[in-house]
């Protein structure tokens, strides 16, 4: 029977390694409940348990609102007071280790109130080892067997150990490293730059790193537990495997072993001072964890992973690509009744969460293996740049007789229309000062940035043209009224200085305001339009000079500028999402981001504070401010008629 099971496991492993371009299979989060025995003080009073197991998968608990009824729960497994560490590990945790051999992720979470036995379940004792030492011992044994000489795969195992204490990510292997940040790479993987990573080849190596690091974890005494965990602990074990022969395929699986801090009722724990602050941070992170589970079950478009460091780190375990198991620890004492019901309700909701595990594989020739995940961002960027340089160096140089746009010859499979568009775009960039660098000869990332910058520049020029056309049309439409009121009507105050425009033929094209101002210097000179090359030069220089140069060119009075900034700031602080969308450069998504930021942090002190909103850069804030001030100035200019001297 064991041999047949091993052969079936090997077959599944081969099938998983050969699977490509398929949608990931669905894997539900599996949930088990463990009921700890009575503590010595409670057992001496002959107190009856408030929880009773019905079978190996279900239990019932007394209904606090009606003593004649009970609440029944159904889970994947239920372990009663007499269950051992071996029973829980073999029946619920050991089966997921095989997924790591296939390049997939797995996670084990211990959840429950304080004093329910979570840390004992994960760590155990010297006589009864917990899930962590048992899992590491079996995992290292599996890698030794699968990576033996003559096998097609070579394995490497490494570990990292951290804690989340008061929303700070601390490295337990290097306590002096300070608070670490959580990042996400371009493939959506969660990583922590600067986190210590120790290679382990045997269980002895694991103990040498893990035991001293465990003593660095923050613990404290409360009324309910003399060694209460004051932080969430996460042990990350990475299994990397590489084929010894072509095509040198690589696979990587991660095992998350998570010991969550327990939720606390400060009325019973008696927490004060620092302990009260710690329990507040623990309860807040567990509350966000419940919100994440509810959002996943309801299929909401936004899952609040970023609301807490804990949920950000568990993004792969809940609703991600990991095979996840949750062990909910509960206590039998009646004074734990509310905590027990809360834990059972959370476990019941968690078993509905759906994950989509898949194999993390890549292809690289030997010699280019690199540990990039835990690199600092500058180092990772230099490594990517070096790879791109090597790729470009490996490509053969074109012969001297090739034309300037020779890269198009490598795209001969494209249609003629696409090739023509690329050529036209290249000519436009060259004519606008690209310093002789062909867009087709640049790397893909730089070419994309140039195309984006060109598109933004053209849209800005087009928008300014439309504004000037609108201003010119308003001036010409108000000209007859000015002639009628010229005899006796008083002139209305105008926010702009009065300018004298000679009576010439109405302009049928866009002329910058600077050209109109130059006409007032000489009455004897007739209007001579600038050349197209000079006009294009002015349009190119204006966006580059920024907001101050544009406002100086338009001769905007200081009081009008201050009034426009005040109106924009009032609308940012009081406007609804619908009203915010009336602003320039603000769409539906940015309007929702502004409203959400305002609810969390309060009103904006200055318009420039808009750059603190996640998803809005400082460059976008400058463009937004420029566009809206120009819009306000244009509105004032069109509302007040201009008069000739």
């Amino acid at each position: 029977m064991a041999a047949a099971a091993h052969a079936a496991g090997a077959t599944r492993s081969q099938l998983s390694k050969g699977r490509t371009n398929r949608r990931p299979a669905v894997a539900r989060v599996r949930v088990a409940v463990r009921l700890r025995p009575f503590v010595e003080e409670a057992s001496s009073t002959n107190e009856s348990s408030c929880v009773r197991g019905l079978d190996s998968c279900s239990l019932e608990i007394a209904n606090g609102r009606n003593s004649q009824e009970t609440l029944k729960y159904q889970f994947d497994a239920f372990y009663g007071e007499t269950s051992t560490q071996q029973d829980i590990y073999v029946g619920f945790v050991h089966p997921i280790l095989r997924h790591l051999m296939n390049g997939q992720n797995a996670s084990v979470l211990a959840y429950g109130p304080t004093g329910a036995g979570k840390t004992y379940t994960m760590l155990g004792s010297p006589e009864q080892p917990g899930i962590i030492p048992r899992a590491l011992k079996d995992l290292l044994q599996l890698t030794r067997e699968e990576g033996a000489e003559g096998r097609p795969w070579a394995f490497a195992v490494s570990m990292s150990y951290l804690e989340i204490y008061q929303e700070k990510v601390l490295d337990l292997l290097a306590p002096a490293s300070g608070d670490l940040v959580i990042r996400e790479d371009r493939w959506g993987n969660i990583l922590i730059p600067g986190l210590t990573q120790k290679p382990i080849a045997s269980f002895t190596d694991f103990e040498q790193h893990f035991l001293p690091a465990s003593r660095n974890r923050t613990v404290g005494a409360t009324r309910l537990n003399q060694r209460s965990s004051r932080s969430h602990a996460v042990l990350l074990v990475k299994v990397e495997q590489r084929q010894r022969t072509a095509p040198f395929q690589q696979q990587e699986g991660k095992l998350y072993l998570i010991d969550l801090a327990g939720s606390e009722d400060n009325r019973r724990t008696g927490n004060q001072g620092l302990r009260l602050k710690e329990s507040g941070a623990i309860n807040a992170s567990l509350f966000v964890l419940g919100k994440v589970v509810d959002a996943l079950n309801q299929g909401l478009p936004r899952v609040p992973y970023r609301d807490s460091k804990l949920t950000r780190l568990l993004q792969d375990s809940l609703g991600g690509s990991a095979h996840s198991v949750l062990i909910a620890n509960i206590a039998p004492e009646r004074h734990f009744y509310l905590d027990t019901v809360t834990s059972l309700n959370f476990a019941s909701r968690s078993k509905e969460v759906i994950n989509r595990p898949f194999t993390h594989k890549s292809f690289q020739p030997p010699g280019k293996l690199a540990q990039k995940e835990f690199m600092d961002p500058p180092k990772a960027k230099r490594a990517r740049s070096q790879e791109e340089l090597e790729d470009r160096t490996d490509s053969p140089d074109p012969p001297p007789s090739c034309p300037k746009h020779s890269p198009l010859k490598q795209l001969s499979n494209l249609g003629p229309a696409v090739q023509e568009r690329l050529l036209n775009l290249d000519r436009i960039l060259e004519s606008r000062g690209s310093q002789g660098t062909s867009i087709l000869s640049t790397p893909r990332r730089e070419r994309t940035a140039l195309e984006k910058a060109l598109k933004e520049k053209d849209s800005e020029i087009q928008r300014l043209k439309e504004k000037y056309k609108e201003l010119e049309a308003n001036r010409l439409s108000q000209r007859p009224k000015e002639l009628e009121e010229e005899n006796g009507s008083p002139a209305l105050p105008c926010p702009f200085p009065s300018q004298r425009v000679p009576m010439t033929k109405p302009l049928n094209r866009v002329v910058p305001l600077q050209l109109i101002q130059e006409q007032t210097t000489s009455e004897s000179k007739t209007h001579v339009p600038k050349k197209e090359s000079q006009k294009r030069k002015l349009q190119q220089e204006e966006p580059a000079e920024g907001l101050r140069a544009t406002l100086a060119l338009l001769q905007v009075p200081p009081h009008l500028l201050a009034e426009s900034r005040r109106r924009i700031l009032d609308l940012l602080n009081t406007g609804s999402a619908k009203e915010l969308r009336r602003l320039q450069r603000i769409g539906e998504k940015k309007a929702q981001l502004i409203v959400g930021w305002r609810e969390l942090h309060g009103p904006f002190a200055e318009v420039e504070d808009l750059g603190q909103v996640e998803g809005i850069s400082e460059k976008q804030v400058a463009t937004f401010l420029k566009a809206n001030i120009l819009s306000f100035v244009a509105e004032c200019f069109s509302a007040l008629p201009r008069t000739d001297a």
Side-chain angles (χ1 to χ4, degrees), residues 347-619:
S348 181
R349 300 196 309 270
S350 299
K351 69 180 183 178
E352 305 297 331
V353 175
I354 301 298
N355 291 350
R356 296 188 180 274
F358 61 90
T359 300
H360 300 76
K361 61 174 61 176
S362 61
F363 295 89
Q364 276 188 341
K368 288 191 176 182
L369 301 179
Q371 301 289 344
K372 293 183 181 179
E373 180 171 358
F374 296 98
M375 280 186 178
D376 292 334
K379 295 182 180 179
K381 184 176 181 181
R382 288 195 296 269
R384 290 195 299 268
S385 301
Q386 183 66 22
E387 288 186 359
E388 293 176 357
L389 181 60
E390 292 177 0
D391 294 340
R392 291 196 296 268
T393 305
D394 294 340
S395 60
D397 295 334
S401 59
C402 287
K404 186 174 184 179
H405 301 294
S406 59
L408 273 183
K409 292 189 175 182
Q410 302 176 5
L411 306 177
S412 58
N413 57 338
L414 297 178
V418 178
Q419 296 184 11
E420 184 64 24
R421 290 179 62 187
L422 289 175
L423 282 172
N424 292 337
L425 182 61
D426 201 32
R427 295 191 192 99
I428 292 174
L429 285 180
E430 185 178 1
S431 64
R432 297 196 176 189
S434 60
Q435 298 179 355
T437 302
S438 174
I439 187 173
L440 301 177
S441 302
T442 58
R444 180 178 180 181
R445 188 177 304 173
E446 298 178 10
R447 183 168 70 248
T448 305
L450 288 173
E451 293 174 358
K452 184 178 180 181
L454 178 61
K455 185 176 180 181
E456 292 179 355
K457 189 174 182 180
D458 290 341
S459 61
E460 181 70 15
I461 293 175
Q462 185 64 26
R463 192 184 63 81
L464 290 176
K465 286 182 178 181
E466 294 176 357
K467 285 291 182 183
Y468 288 140
K469 287 181 179 179
E470 183 180 355
L471 294 176
E472 187 67 20
N474 291 335
R475 187 184 66 82
L476 295 176
S477 63
Q478 294 173 1
R479 187 69 179 178
K481 297 181 180 179
E482 295 175 1
L483 295 176
E484 293 178 0
E485 298 176 357
E486 187 176 6
N487 295 330
S489 59
L492 295 176
C494 179
F496 297 102
S498 179
Q499 299 178 354
R500 182 176 182 271
V501 181
M503 291 298 295
T504 60
K505 182 179 179 180
L507 300 178
N508 55 1
R509 62 183 182 86
V510 180
V511 179
L513 294 180
Q514 184 177 1
L515 300 180
I516 300 177
Q517 184 179 1
E518 291 176 354
Q519 295 174 0
T520 61
T521 58
S522 177
E523 299 181 1
S524 59
K525 295 182 180 180
T526 59
H527 173 69
V528 179
K530 292 284 186 179
K531 294 182 179 179
E532 290 296 330
S533 60
Q534 297 176 353
K535 173 184 173 182
R536 183 164 57 250
K537 182 178 179 181
L538 289 174
Q539 291 174 346
Q540 289 179 353
E541 293 175 354
E542 183 176 352
E545 291 176 355
L547 179 60
R548 292 185 178 179
T550 304
L551 297 177
L553 183 64
L554 298 178
Q555 299 183 1
V556 180
H559 72 278
L560 186 59
L561 177 61
E563 177 64 18
S564 62
R565 294 176 66 90
R566 185 191 65 78
R567 286 182 56 179
I568 296 173
L569 183 61
D570 291 344
L571 189 55
L572 289 176
N573 289 330
T574 60
S576 61
K578 183 177 180 180
E579 294 173 343
L580 289 173
R581 289 199 298 269
R582 299 175 184 173
L583 292 172
Q584 300 285 340
R585 302 285 180 174
I586 296 296
E588 181 178 358
K589 182 178 179 180
K590 290 184 180 179
Q592 294 292 342
L593 290 175
I594 293 173
V595 173
W597 190 93
R598 194 173 62 196
E599 293 177 355
L600 291 175
H601 304 282
F604 295 92
E606 297 180 358
V607 181
E608 287 76 5
D609 293 344
L610 191 61
Q612 301 178 6
V613 179
E614 184 176 359
I616 302 179
S617 62
E618 295 182 358
K619 181 179 179 181

Side-chain angles (χ1 to χ4, degrees), residues 117-229:
K118 299 180 300 301
T119 303
Y120 177 78
T121 300
M122 298 301 292
L123 298 180
S125 62
E127 298 78 16
Q128 291 289 332
I131 291 175
I132 290 179
R134 293 175 186 269
L136 264 296
K137 187 174 296 184
D138 288 350
L139 181 61
L140 292 170
Q141 180 66 25
L142 280 173
T143 56
R144 281 195 296 269
E145 294 175 357
E146 297 289 340
E149 291 293 335
R151 293 294 184 94
W153 296 87
F155 288 83
V157 183
S158 59
M159 62 166 287
S160 301
Y161 197 23
L162 62 93
E163 71 171 352
I164 302 177
Y165 175 71
Q166 295 190 24
E167 288 300 300
K168 295 180 180 179
V169 180
L170 305 178
D171 190 350
L172 295 178
L173 294 174
S177 59
D179 187 14
L180 303 177
V181 296
I182 301 177
R183 300 295 188 196
E184 183 175 356
D185 62 13
R186 54 181 175 178
W187 297 284
N189 300 318
I190 302 299
L191 53 90
I192 303 176
L195 182 64
T196 303
Q197 186 175 353
K198 297 289 187 180
I200 52 176
S202 63
F203 189 74
T204 303
D205 296 340
F206 167 73
E207 287 183 326
Q208 290 178 353
H209 299 305
F210 181 76
L211 295 180
S214 298
R215 291 190 287 268
N216 295 329
R217 186 180 178 185
T218 307
V219 296
T222 65
R223 291 180 183 176
L224 300 180
N225 192 353
Q226 291 300 318
R227 286 187 57 83
S228 175
S229 301

